[in-house]
Amino acid sequence: MATPTLDKTDKAEAGFADSPFIMATFRIRRFNPEVSDEAQWQDFQIEIDPKERVLDALHKIKWELDGTLTFRRSCAHGICGSDAMRINGKNRLACKTLIKDINPDKPITVEAIKGLTVLKDLVVDMDPFFQAYHDVMPFLITKGNEPTRERLQSPEDRERFDDTTKCILCAACTSSCPVFWNDGQYFGPAAIVNAHRFIFDSRDEAGEQRLEILNDRDGVWRCRTTFNCTDACPRGIEVTKAIQEVKRALITRRF
Amino acid sequence: MQIHKYDTVIVGAGGAGMRAAIESTKRSRTAVLTKLYPTRSHTGAAQGGMAAALANVEEDNWEWHTFDTIKGGDYLVDQDAAEILAKEAIDAVLDLEKMGLPFGRTPEGRIDQRRFGGHTRSHGEAPVRRACYSGDRTGHMILQTLYQNCVKEGVEFFNEFYVLDQLITEVDGVKKSAGVVAYELATGEIHVFQAKSVIYASGGTGKFFKVTSNAHTLTGDGQAACYRRGLPLEDMEFFQFHPTGIWRMGILLTEGARGEGGILRNKDGERFMEKYAPVMKDLASRDVVSRSIYTEIREGRGCGPAGDHVYLDLTHLPPEQLDAKLPDITEFARTYLGIEPYTDPIPIQPTAHYAMGGIPTNVEGEVLADNTTVVPGLYAAGEVACVSVHGANRLGTNSLLDINVFGKRSGIAAAEYATKSDFVELPENPGQLVAEQVERLRNSTGTERVADLRTELQECMDANVMVFRTEQTIKTAVAKIAELRERYLNVSIQDKGKRFNTDLLEAIELGNLLDLAEVMAVSALARKESRGGHYREDYPNRDDVNFMRHTMAYREVAADGAESIRLDYKPVVTTRYQPMERKY
Ligand SMILES: Cc1cc2nc3c(=O)[nH]c(=O)nc-3n(C[C@H](O)[C@H](O)[C@H](O)COP(=O)(O)OP(=O)(O)OC[C@H]3O[C@@H](n4cnc5c(N)ncnc54)[C@H](O)[C@@H]3O)c2cc1C
Ligand code: SF4
Ligand code: FES
């Protein structure tokens, strides 16, 4: 049995102990229609431990420099899906991105995710995103009488759709998709991921209906397999693979 | 100002709020007001599991579960309520499965179960497998499943609406709930919701601590709104400190990690829990483990240069097991600490986790105005409420259970009350209190900053009313909180706008935290004993003669406007289990 020894464990501590604070510049895309119709970039310089999260940096700016800076957040550890944003041009969760991992030597750009209307600073209108989710009937549909105990499901059947149950509806995938940027009618990867979660659940009996919905001209066939969504997903979901599986199911009608 | 009328209004869309909404929407015209999009609620952070004596993997029954809950709560649990919790647990889990929740499965295809702290066979003989789970994201799956079913039922949500005031009208000498007042984040508009029934399901208050597993948004808004309108808060001194938060950050590493075989070790590599809890060891109840960790740290056996933490060791578990059962928490260690849990132990420290106290209710979720009188039309469920099924210390996996059982009960009770009652007249100028509060903050030219006061409050709470308390530390906290409340009158904000003014809302949330911190400290000062999560070094023993009773704290306002807290007590409901010494 491995027993911890001091030298083995000091990685984390040593990291904390000798980590000097650094000066970092955050270049943030600001927009507030109460003030101006134009969005503009604004630079903030702060002293911060590079092992902290981008969310910590945004808080530091809001709490110490500019209280008007506006963004959504709640859990601060990547499970609530509030704070997807474009950081150095890539979609990420601010609370899951450590400053040291995004090269703080240069100004770090932070802007709202693309393809959804910006309402203020980093806050976008999420309603169209949730509407697409609602449209795929994201709930278990079964027929016949309910059993008195639980429905049985083998561990293998349970595993089949495990990946897509992880989704936190953060919109990082959908708002990284060039097809979605060009056409907001496209369901987008997140809705397809959530349809996948039910189509491949052995207990569900409405797979055909969901597939028909996704067979629509704004459905899965719009996907150009650019893999942006998979790269963007903070939950590590293989989004593109899920979309491919839905496409295949549409062709073979087997799922 | 807009006025809306609904039969039932639910405040909060976490597990408790949505479970209630699914029931009440079927029975009455319901609106759910929530300051976060429903799927952002902190129920989604819960990892380990939900307790129910399904007996799917080994012998178990609800009576053992009842006993464990009562013992875990150090006999401050209302035993009638605990019995309901344990009995209805089985249907609560089955309901969720039928709604689509993807539970982990046994080879036979049944819902799988695992061990969790304090859950035992035959009244403490040995750990039992009672926690139903979905990997280490059970809360996420509960939240998603309930949201999915709210979509299915057509539940009406008002997202990013902050409820800031509870409306009460006196009718023939009886205080009745008339509705709530909410602030709309997107527009800055104030909305009055007149409702026959109101259910608070607004979650916990952990943000008055610095090292906490709670979200930034858990600021006790519901507790504060009711308290300010003269309703009592029960057992607020009881707060749970979870043994395994990520060192300094407080992010939770589920007890399920120890359920899977993880071991706590001090700097000498010693499995120290063997000394403190010879039978249950690392799976003793949370208050016991948290105190043991701090005892190790205080006696110089903590790890790291400052000796301020211990290790959670998972290195002896096969990587496949960690990947299958604990994927999220191992990823937290990698992301936030740069540690590989396959090979390195994880630095941890206790983290402020769960409010056992809250708005007092009976088992139907009806809110109490004093020890016995209910407030007609007012309900509460989930972490905001105190039924009390958790007593002085909640067992792991009993809260996801609580939100489902009492969320459902209150949803049904509130909707049924609404269908047979009339609207209560709104008080005059119903939006006035909120409008004044908002205007005062927007126009203030004060010199204090919200962030400074909040940091000072959090540091004071961590230092003085955490795992170990004494008369002196609590008095220090009471004095500091009084100072901060005074300075709060002089805060100003920078954002004066109407649109998405989170600067303003953080200021309001701080006001709630200050009020609740004061109630907690004053309640803790008066409780001269140690019980569950409340540990007084100057009174290290449980005192059943004087303190086997619930604290009820009321806000009093004197004629000259001076505010104070009045403490009263409520008897514990004891049915079949007489208090015994708690050993693990
Ligand atoms: C990290 C972590 C892990 C946990 N793991 C477990 C576990 O494994 N098992 C277990 O049993 N328990 C666990 N718990 C405890 C359990 O998850 C919580 O106690 C429970 O989920 C609380 O649910 P709730 O519905 O009461 O509140 P929440 O889920 O916190 O929801 C609160 C809701 O209220 C809304 N709200 C708040 N204020 C306002 C306002 N002013 N106006 C309008 N809406 C408002 C919010 O928007 C939100 O929708 C864990 C807790 C944490 C923090
Ligand atoms: S699939 Fe991933 S990126 Fe897309 S919404 Fe879900 S969690 Fe976010
Ligand atoms: S704040 Fe919750 S995901 Fe980032």
Side-chain angles (χ1 to χ4, degrees):
Chain A
M1 187 199 289
T3 305
T5 59
L6 277 180
D7 48 14
K8 197 172 170 190
T9 54
D10 279 342
K11 283 182 200 162
E13 284 110 45
F16 272 107
D18 61 26
S19 91
F21 278 52
I22 56 160
M23 285 303 285
T25 302
F26 283 82
R27 182 161 295 167
I28 303 179
R29 187 82 171 153
R30 305 294 307 269
F31 172 67
N32 182 359
E34 281 185 298
V35 177
S36 157
D37 291 339
E38 299 279 309
Q40 56 185 18
W41 292 99
Q42 185 177 1
D43 281 5
F44 295 94
Q45 286 240 321
I46 54 167
E47 202 183 22
I48 194 152
D49 181 339
K51 290 201 180 56
E52 295 214 66
R53 299 160 271 205
V54 170
L55 181 63
D56 298 315
L58 295 176
H59 272 146
K60 207 167 156 73
I61 294 167
K62 182 176 181 67
W63 293 341
E64 293 172 15
L65 300 174
D66 185 349
T68 67
L69 179 67
T70 304
F71 49 91
R72 292 189 176 108
R73 52 69 176 136
S74 184
C75 73
H77 64 286
I79 50 89
C80 78
S82 296
D83 59 343
M85 47 189 82
R86 258 168 97 81
I87 300 170
N88 281 349
K90 283 181 72 175
N91 280 5
R92 312 166 191 259
L93 297 178
C95 66
K96 245 191 136 171
T97 307
L98 302 192
I99 294 164
K100 69 179 174 55
D101 296 333
I102 46 166
N103 185 15
D105 300 338
K106 288 197 286 190
I108 295 165
T109 61
V110 182
E111 59 195 305
I113 46 177
K114 279 170 76 168
L116 294 160
T117 310
V118 180
L119 301 175
K120 184 176 173 185
D121 293 346
L122 306 173
V123 174
V124 299
D125 179 6
M126 292 293 288
D127 286 349
F129 173 81
F130 277 101
Q131 190 54 52
Y133 168 77
H134 288 194
D135 288 345
V136 300
M137 304 196 297
F139 38 81
L140 189 77
I141 299 176
T142 56
K143 302 190 188 93
N145 290 338
E146 286 203 333
T148 44
R149 289 288 293 200
E150 69 262 45
R151 288 194 179 75
L152 299 182
Q153 181 168 55
S154 70
E156 297 70 40
D157 284 345
R158 166 67 183 78
E159 186 56 28
R160 180 67 190 87
F161 63 105
D162 189 61
D163 201 34
T164 45
T165 65
K166 291 190 246 165
C167 176
I168 54 174
L169 297 168
C170 69
C173 55
T174 297
S175 65
S176 72
C177 173
V179 179
F180 181 76
W181 296 339
N182 290 331
D183 178 3
Q185 294 302 309
Y186 171 44
F187 276 97
I192 303 173
V193 160
N194 282 281
H196 178 284
R197 178 250 170 274
F198 289 101
I199 292 169
F200 293 93
D201 183 336
S202 59
R203 300 170 297 173
D204 187 75
E205 296 175 71
E208 289 286 347
Q209 265 168 284
R210 289 196 184 83
L211 285 173
E212 265 332 298
I213 295 171
L214 293 173
N215 205 8
D216 186 88
R217 49 181 280 276
D218 295 317
V220 282
W221 304 113
R222 304 291 304 272
C223 168
R224 293 276 164 274
T225 332
T226 51
F227 281 93
N228 283 19
C229 50
T230 303
D231 291 341
C233 180
R235 303 286 292 147
I237 299 172
E238 294 182 274
V239 182
T240 313
K241 183 173 163 213
I243 298 175
Q244 292 301 96
E245 287 178 354
V246 171
K247 285 182 182 168
R248 203 170 315 126
L250 262 169
I251 295 166
T252 62
R253 295 285 162 169
R254 269 216 307 254
F255 45 88
Chain B
M1 194 176 73
Q2 291 189 40
I3 300 203
H4 311 256
K5 264 180 136 172
Y6 282 86
D7 292 332
T8 306
V9 161
I10 299 176
V11 182
M18 291 203 283
R19 190 67 190 82
I22 288 170
E23 298 303 329
S24 83
T25 297
K26 290 178 192 157
R27 297 171 171 85
S28 67
R29 197 164 159 263
T30 299
V32 181
L33 316 186
T34 171
K35 76 178 183 183
L36 302 171
Y37 274 86
T39 56
R40 315 287 183 229
S41 304
H42 212 53
T43 292
Q47 301 166 355
M50 169 167 167
L54 297 181
N56 274 4
V57 289
E58 61 181 312
E59 189 189 355
D60 197 8
N61 63 58
W62 62 258
E63 193 273 322
W64 293 348
H65 186 185
T66 307
F67 171 78
D68 290 339
T69 300
I70 293 164
K71 176 182 169 190
D74 224 347
Y75 296 91
L76 197 68
V77 171
D78 286 328
Q79 299 189 0
D80 54 340
E83 186 169 319
I84 288 173
L85 182 81
K87 263 190 198 161
E88 295 185 7
I90 294 159
D91 275 339
V93 166
L94 297 178
D95 279 356
L96 286 170
E97 196 283 328
K98 285 169 194 165
M99 288 186 207
L101 200 142
F103 282 107
R105 299 286 173 158
T106 65
E108 300 76 42
R110 311 206 75 95
I111 295 171
D112 197 13
Q113 302 191 273
R114 68 176 166 211
R115 290 178 180 168
F116 236 81
H119 290 279
T120 71
R121 162 157 42 100
S122 309
H123 312 110
E125 244 170 42
V128 76
R129 297 210 264 160
R130 188 178 289 147
C132 309
Y133 64 91
S134 184
D136 56 356
R137 52 188 142 83
T138 313
H140 166 77
M141 289 324 326
I142 290 178
L143 192 69
Q144 294 291 325
T145 302
L146 291 175
Y147 183 61
Q148 290 156 2
N149 282 272
C150 285
V151 171
K152 184 175 175 187
E153 298 293 338
V155 171
E156 193 176 344
F157 289 103
F158 289 79
N159 295 327
E160 303 193 315
F161 275 58
Y162 286 62
V163 170
L164 300 179
D165 194 15
Q166 165 61 34
L167 298 173
I168 289 178
T169 305
E170 212 167 290
V171 186
D172 303 328
V174 180
K175 280 184 179 175
K176 292 187 170 182
S177 170
V180 298
V181 184
Y183 175 98
E184 183 181 1
L185 182 64
T187 61
E189 207 177 332
I190 291 169
H191 297 254
V192 172
F193 285 81
Q194 187 175 15
K196 296 174 186 171
S197 293
V198 171
I199 308 175
Y200 279 89
S202 48
T205 66
K207 261 306 168 193
F208 49 41
F209 289 101
K210 184 171 165 210
V211 175
T212 173
S213 64
N214 282 198
H216 285 287
T217 45
L218 287 174
T219 50
D221 304 354
Q223 294 89 325
C226 290
Y227 173 68
R228 259 182 234 132
R229 289 295 182 182
L231 298 175
L233 294 176
E234 180 174 349
D235 289 343
M236 290 293 283
E237 65 272 38
F238 293 102
F239 206 92
Q240 179 167 82
F241 304 97
H242 191 293
T244 53
I246 289 184
W247 176 46
R248 294 195 195 187
M249 301 183 88
I251 297 172
L252 195 80
L253 301 177
T254 175
E255 194 170 295
R258 282 169 285 139
E260 292 292 336
I263 290 172
L264 295 170
R265 297 186 190 281
N266 62 20
K267 73 168 188 198
D268 305 319
E270 181 194 3
R271 181 181 196 177
F272 57 84
M273 280 313 299
E274 284 176 336
K275 291 185 298 202
Y276 302 97
V279 179
M280 294 295 284
K281 300 191 177 102
D282 298 276
L283 286 174
S285 96
R286 290 179 179 173
D287 55 322
V288 175
V289 182
S290 285
R291 278 197 296 280
S292 306
I293 292 173
Y294 270 127
T295 305
E296 291 295 303
I297 290 173
R298 283 173 157 196
E299 293 177 359
R301 293 185 294 278
C303 309
D308 60 354
H309 56 273
V310 299
Y311 291 122
L312 173 62
D313 184 6
L314 306 175
T315 57
H316 54 290
L317 302 177
E320 313 79 68
Q321 187 185 352
L322 296 183
D323 292 349
K325 297 290 179 64
L326 303 166
D328 278 13
I329 65 142
T330 44
E331 195 192 311
F332 294 155
R334 291 182 195 115
T335 305
Y336 296 110
L337 292 168
I339 276 199
E340 178 45 68
Y342 296 158
T343 51
D344 291 308
I346 308 167
I348 56 98
Q349 74 181 88
T351 182
H353 186 54
Y354 183 85
M356 268 77 72
I359 301 171
T361 73
N362 62 21
V363 295
E364 306 307 330
E366 293 174 293
V367 171
L368 300 176
D370 54 38
N371 285 2
T372 49
T373 321
V374 302
V375 183
L378 194 58
Y379 299 79
E383 194 167 336
V384 70
C386 180
V387 182
S388 145
V389 288
H390 308 304
N393 171 61
R394 169 177 72 85
L395 287 191
T397 69
N398 264 356
S399 173
L400 290 178
L401 176 57
D402 172 9
I403 63 180
N404 278 286
V405 167
F406 291 100
K408 178 176 179 179
R409 283 181 155 253
S410 64
I412 295 172
E416 283 177 353
Y417 176 83
T419 51
K420 61 176 210 276
S421 313
D422 293 326
F423 282 100
V424 172
E425 211 178 305
L426 290 171
E428 239 175 273
N429 289 331
Q432 188 181 12
L433 191 90
V434 174
E436 281 173 6
Q437 189 184 17
V438 166
E439 279 321 297
R440 194 180 62 243
L441 283 164
R442 240 193 222 122
N443 298 327
S444 167
T445 52
T447 50
E448 293 284 357
R449 275 200 315 209
V450 170
D452 296 343
L453 299 195
R454 188 175 45 217
T455 306
E456 285 182 43
L457 172 68
Q458 291 168 340
E459 284 174 355
C460 158
M461 297 293 279
D462 277 21
N464 296 301
V465 285
M466 233 186 156
V467 173
F468 290 111
R469 303 167 173 178
T470 67
E471 171 149 339
Q472 199 206 331
T473 64
I474 303 171
K475 281 188 167 158
T476 307
V478 171
K480 179 72 186 179
I481 296 164
E483 174 211 312
L484 292 171
R485 278 166 55 90
E486 194 61 35
R487 287 165 58 194
Y488 180 70
L489 301 174
N490 190 31
V491 293
S492 65
I493 54 174
Q494 282 176 296
D495 195 338
K496 312 283 183 192
K498 293 208 171 265
R499 199 180 172 86
F500 286 95
N501 191 339
T502 51
D503 204 20
L504 169 73
L505 283 154
E506 282 192 35
I508 292 174
E509 290 170 334
L510 172 64
N512 295 341
L513 290 178
L514 285 168
D515 282 0
L516 298 173
E518 187 180 34
V519 176
M520 162 180 270
V522 168
S523 303
L525 189 60
R527 187 172 282 275
K528 296 185 170 150
E529 65 155 353
S530 291
R531 185 186 293 272
H534 170 73
Y535 191 81
R536 290 278 304 253
E537 288 185 271
D538 42 356
Y539 299 94
N541 298 316
R542 196 174 78 195
D543 175 357
D544 289 336
V545 176
N546 294 303
F547 287 105
M548 211 179 94
R549 52 186 192 170
H550 300 288
T551 306
M552 299 283 275
Y554 297 81
R555 174 173 177 265
E556 301 269 296
V557 185
D560 64 354
E563 288 177 30
S564 61
I565 297 173
R566 176 172 65 86
L567 295 183
D568 195 2
Y569 293 89
K570 185 171 80 139
V572 173
V573 180
T574 302
T575 54
R576 42 208 284 202
Y577 305 100
Q578 287 310 309
M580 296 187 309
E581 197 195 340
R582 209 165 51 120
K583 281 200 202 124
Y584 283 102

